Amino acid sequence: MSVSLKVHKPYVLYEEGDHKFVWLGLDESEHEKGILTNQYLIVDGDEGALLDAGGYFVFERVYENVEEFIKPENIKYLLFSHQDPDVIGSLNLWLDVAPNAKIYVSELWERFLPHLGFEAVGKIIDIPDQGTSIKFGKSEIKAIPAHFMHSVGNFHYYDPVSKIYFSGDLGAAVFPAGKWYLFVENFDEHVKYMEPFHRRYIVSKKAIDHWLEQIKGLDIKIIAPQHGSIFQGENVKKFIEWLKSLDKVGIDYIW
């Protein structure tokens, strides 16, 4: 799918009634070169959930794009896949503008978040290793275990209304200078931008197999990663099959 868009502006991936799933634009600043990140907003009625809000330098762009869909004070959840700075680096800024938001993160990372400089009491909700369902508007968001894909305490988030699966760093692609596209069109060509990352950052083949069991039975129309490009249609199946085919990753790849 070819999309005409303004790269810094949001793009609605799904909309029906008062439920939306939105990609929140892209930064091309010098601070972001080489590690372009995707942030996403789910809206249901007057509630919002922000997925992997991003680092310090993308805050202004993400904030302005969120405001097009919901008042920041109506953000109910800040949902984090893991603890990397490009995921959580803007957290203290978001808590200033979204004071009512609760933070969902792996129970492994709860004690680290206050080091970002905010008052954590009553703000953080631990996600147990087995995952959880989070009530959201008239529906829910499912926190899906994805441990060691690549973080030791790692979760993806699935929206059963839009059938969009936020995969965190899984599906990440690192593009050369001047190359970028929002949606994957040529999967075989796209693999060369994904493979080095996945070989190095997924801990083991066993982690892949366990994740595949976790998503079995989910109706996934779109996979939306935190880095790189979005998979939809047949490319969702191609991506999952490609992951199945990876032999040596992580500890087996290095040693």
Side-chain angles (χ1 to χ4, degrees):
M1 176 179 177
S2 179
V3 176
S4 177
L5 52 76
K6 295 179 180 178
V7 71
H8 299 291
K9 301 302 290 179
Y11 183 84
V12 177
L13 297 172
Y14 173 91
E15 181 174 12
E16 186 169 340
D18 59 1
H19 193 93
K20 300 180 183 70
F21 198 113
V22 186
W23 173 76
L24 293 169
L26 188 76
D27 276 271
E28 294 182 297
S29 69
E30 287 304 313
H31 299 295
E32 284 288 288
K33 293 297 186 187
I35 188 166
L36 299 173
T37 59
N38 299 313
Q39 293 78 35
Y40 303 91
L41 175 71
I42 309 175
V43 176
D44 194 281
D46 60 356
E47 293 182 358
L50 186 58
L51 304 176
D52 279 7
Y56 175 85
F57 292 113
V58 306
F59 172 77
E60 183 177 358
R61 181 261 302 167
V62 179
Y63 175 79
E64 289 176 355
N65 288 342
V66 164
E67 276 196 310
E68 292 192 22
F69 299 92
I70 195 168
K71 294 179 180 178
E73 59 266 30
N74 288 343
I75 294 176
K76 188 172 185 179
Y77 302 124
L78 295 165
L79 306 179
F80 294 108
S81 59
H82 61 297
Q83 80 292 351
D84 282 355
D86 60 312
V87 170
I88 65 168
S90 63
L91 178 55
N92 56 343
L93 298 175
W94 277 105
L95 289 176
D96 284 342
V97 299
N100 301 315
K102 298 291 186 181
I103 301 161
Y104 274 81
V105 70
S106 165
E107 59 188 1
L108 295 182
W109 305 125
E110 177 194 1
R111 64 188 184 276
F112 292 93
L113 296 192
H115 289 280
L116 293 171
F118 69 92
E119 177 54 56
V121 175
K123 288 288 186 183
I124 302 175
I125 299 174
D126 293 346
I127 306 176
D129 278 347
Q130 66 270 25
T132 192
S133 291
I134 303 164
K135 188 179 185 319
F136 179 63
K138 297 189 287 285
S139 182
E140 63 180 1
I141 299 170
K142 294 184 179 295
I144 308 294
H147 307 309
F148 300 101
M149 303 277 284
H150 63 108
S151 173
V152 299
N154 200 56
F155 288 95
H156 298 161
Y157 295 97
Y158 175 67
D159 173 21
V161 176
S162 66
K163 297 178 172 55
I164 297 177
Y165 185 94
F166 171 68
S167 60
D169 278 21
L170 189 65
V174 181
F175 294 108
K179 184 81 172 179
W180 177 83
Y181 38 83
L182 180 56
F183 292 97
V184 175
E185 295 184 359
N186 185 331
F187 183 83
D188 292 335
E189 175 74 8
H190 189 68
V191 165
K192 68 184 181 184
Y193 304 127
M194 294 193 297
E195 187 162 357
F197 180 92
H198 288 75
R199 293 280 187 193
R200 182 63 176 83
Y201 283 87
I202 294 177
V203 171
S204 68
K205 176 69 170 173
K206 187 173 183 179
I208 297 175
D209 293 341
H210 186 266
W211 175 75
L212 291 168
E213 284 296 315
Q214 298 300 310
I215 67 163
K216 190 180 293 184
L218 291 183
D219 183 6
I220 300 173
K221 302 297 187 187
I222 290 176
I223 293 178
Q226 195 234 350
H227 300 287
S229 302
I230 295 168
F231 304 89
Q232 60 179 354
E234 284 300 308
N235 284 328
V236 170
K237 295 178 182 177
K238 288 181 180 180
F239 176 65
I240 293 172
E241 290 302 314
W242 176 74
L243 281 172
K244 286 181 183 178
S245 75
L246 290 178
D247 47 4
K248 291 184 177 180
V249 296
I251 54 176
D252 294 320
Y253 176 69
I254 296 174
W255 297 312

